[in-house]
Amino acid sequence: MFNYSDVLETINMVEREHLDIRTVTMGISLLPCISCSAEDTAKKVYDTVCKKAENIVKITRDLSREYGIPIVNKRVSVTPAAIVCAPFAEKSHLIGKALDNAAKELGIDFLGGYSALVHKGMADYEKKFILSIPEVLANTERLCSSVNIGSSKSGINMSAVGLMGEIIKQTAEATAEKDGFGCAKLVIFCNAVEDNPFMAGAFHGVGESGTVINVGVSGPGVVQHAIESIPEADLSELAEMIKRTAFKITRAGQLIAREAAKRLNAEFGIVDLSLAPTPTRGDSVAQILEEMGLESVGTHGTTACLAMLNDAVKKGGVMASSRVGGLSGAFIPVSEDVGMIEAAQRGTLNMDKLEAMTAVCSVGLDMIAVPGDTPASTLSAIIADEAAIGMINNKTTAVRIIPAPGKGVGDTVNFGGLLGRAPIMPVHGESAEKFIKRGGLIPAPIHSNKN
């Protein structure tokens, strides 16, 4: 039972420290929707998503009001659409449109799962599906896409990596009037997970139940406040404080997740305890790192601080729930974190430092804007570097990068809302084109052979 001090503490976390349930995401299997034609399948996809998730907005609003905790986003993830579209890959766009229409009908903010898994090889139908991504993202509003191009068990599919550099360029050009906004809805993964509730990379894995509720909790402000309360603590004490704080945040998420699953007639999947920042001051992972003792995120010591933060968050979450999953850790999306934005503008934070940071935290190079004339091969090389970190370290890594058409270093893109704004960051000018054109497969590391 909660006592009086617990209630007051929770109220303070919500009102002053930006504690929220970042997302309640319903995962829905679309495998029963596969029919003899793209048109029939698209209709079944639309009907299934609308029926399964028809009450998600109402029920999450009810829960938010009853428990006094903001639930920011209501989302849906679906079976990787490349599988659903396999019999008629040339008409994949019909499924994409049906999914986007369902998202609009439900009133949710994003729907994830226009996705393909090509980490070991790419079938003809999968390539056709991937080639449809630029057009589909340009002509939909709430649909998100992802492609898994590598894993620790299979290696890195460099032919797919090379293709994804081209797809990112095409997506940016297809949404040029919005500074390449389509790329903000496209993630390239290594070691993608099946139960991630966060966008743009969420999809409903084929190993999941038919309908599942996964919840993403976020509280960078709560963690920052906890650190501020012990300014003279050594790092061991700091880690303990972060663990205790993560424990409390996870408990709140589990409460909402269980109740949402029961009311929505779905299974309770996981709680993803990810410190997901927003452009709001006081809700920043970068500011947590600076509160730990850095003059600016990006300076020497940043990777060590981030490693400790990420580990303590995971330990606290695992103590609080046996259902911790998804990505769970600390996100470092540049455009979505006011501290990251300001450090990038000062030049303290650059691409090379961000890459080093991704070796010890959740996901990877996220919401980074680069010059619009960046070659596709350079984008592919950035993906390959990030995938290598994930493959060797047996962790999920990803790239969500926006080559902003017509813009260069010194300019800014502004997507608004949670997606924020991003200064255009420089990339290395030397070419990696010959390396990318080799294609083939980077073999899995020796430690992947565990059977």
Side-chain angles (χ1 to χ4, degrees), residues 264-448:
L264 287 164
N265 195 30
E267 291 194 23
F268 167 34
I270 57 92
V271 177
D272 185 320
L273 177 61
S274 290
L275 297 182
T278 70
T280 303
R281 195 167 299 280
D283 198 25
S284 162
V285 170
Q287 290 176 334
I288 295 175
L289 302 179
E290 290 168 357
E291 191 62 41
M292 291 169 71
L294 303 176
E295 183 177 351
S296 171
V297 66
T299 193
H300 303 298
T302 298
T303 305
C305 286
L306 185 58
M308 193 190 86
L309 172 65
N310 204 60
D311 181 65
V313 165
K314 288 179 183 290
K315 287 174 177 173
V318 170
M319 288 168 57
S321 174
S322 60
R323 293 292 190 95
V324 171
L327 300 169
S328 289
F331 290 174
I332 53 171
V334 173
S335 78
E336 298 174 10
D337 186 312
V338 65
M340 296 285 181
I341 294 168
E342 292 173 350
Q345 288 173 328
R346 290 192 300 267
T348 312
L349 187 65
N350 58 36
M351 288 279 286
D352 291 340
K353 187 61 177 180
L354 280 165
E355 183 182 303
M357 293 164 67
T358 63
V360 299
C361 75
S362 294
V363 200
L365 296 171
D366 195 14
M367 287 303 290
I368 295 171
V370 297
D373 60 0
T374 303
S377 59
T378 298
L379 298 173
S380 295
I382 291 169
I383 295 168
D385 282 343
E386 196 59 31
I389 291 172
M391 178 185 70
I392 296 296
N393 291 290
N394 198 28
K395 68 186 293 290
T396 303
T397 54
V399 172
R400 186 162 50 146
I401 193 167
I402 302 107
K407 294 197 171 183
V409 176
D411 293 327
T412 300
V413 294
N414 194 335
F415 298 125
L418 289 177
L419 295 176
R421 60 186 175 87
I424 307 295
M425 301 182 73
V427 298
H428 290 287
E430 296 78 13
S431 175
E433 186 173 4
K434 184 177 179 180
F435 165 63
I436 296 301
K437 281 187 173 180
R438 288 180 182 273
L441 187 76
I442 293 180
I446 185 64
H447 57 68
S448 68

Side-chain angles (χ1 to χ4, degrees), residues 43-269:
K43 184 179 185 305
K44 290 181 179 180
V45 163
Y46 176 85
D47 291 343
T48 297
V49 173
C50 287
K51 182 178 179 181
K52 294 279 188 181
E54 63 180 338
N55 292 318
I56 190 170
V57 172
K58 178 185 181 301
I59 285 174
T60 50
R61 284 175 179 166
D62 291 346
L63 289 170
S64 180
R65 184 173 59 252
E66 290 172 26
Y67 289 98
I69 300 176
I71 300 175
V72 180
N73 295 303
K74 300 86 181 172
R75 297 167 172 170
V76 168
S77 63
V78 298
T79 307
I83 298 171
V84 179
C85 299
F88 33 76
E90 66 282 351
K91 293 186 177 181
S92 298
H93 63 281
L94 296 179
I95 309 303
K97 192 63 179 176
L99 289 169
D100 193 57
N101 287 339
K104 293 176 187 176
E105 176 66 24
L106 294 169
I108 59 176
D109 63 317
F110 285 120
L111 187 151
Y114 198 76
S115 306
L117 312 178
V118 293
H119 40 280
K120 196 171 185 180
M122 185 164 46
D124 288 343
Y125 74 86
E126 289 169 321
K127 185 171 183 179
K128 289 178 183 178
F129 174 86
I130 290 172
L131 290 172
S132 76
I133 289 174
E135 177 191 352
V136 168
L137 291 184
N139 291 288
T140 54
E141 296 177 16
R142 309 183 191 199
L143 185 65
C144 294
S145 180
S146 60
V147 178
N148 192 60
I149 49 77
S151 75
S152 296
K153 192 69 177 176
S154 64
I156 301 172
N157 182 348
M158 288 300 294
S159 297
V161 169
L163 177 59
M164 290 315 301
E166 298 285 352
I167 294 297
I168 291 171
K169 287 284 287 186
Q170 292 171 23
T171 303
E173 290 162 3
T175 54
E177 75 286 355
K178 297 181 181 179
D179 287 335
F181 174 69
C183 296
K185 301 188 294 173
L186 173 61
V187 183
I188 297 88
F189 278 115
C190 178
N191 289 322
V193 297
E194 296 190 330
D195 54 8
N196 167 25
F198 286 98
M199 298 297 168
F203 63 85
H204 184 70
V206 294
E208 297 284 314
S209 298
T211 311
V212 177
I213 291 293
N214 298 319
V215 166
V217 188
S218 183
V222 180
V223 174
Q224 182 182 346
H225 180 78
I227 295 172
E228 288 173 350
S229 70
I230 49 173
E232 303 302 322
D234 67 23
L235 293 176
S236 298
E237 295 170 321
L238 213 59
E240 287 300 314
M241 175 62 82
I242 295 169
K243 282 167 55 180
R244 290 196 296 271
T245 304
F247 179 93
K248 296 173 185 176
I249 297 170
T250 306
R251 281 295 199 194
Q254 179 164 281
L255 174 67
I256 296 294
R258 286 190 180 280
E259 192 61 30
K262 182 169 69 174
R263 297 188 192 186
L264 287 164
N265 195 30
E267 291 194 23
F268 167 34

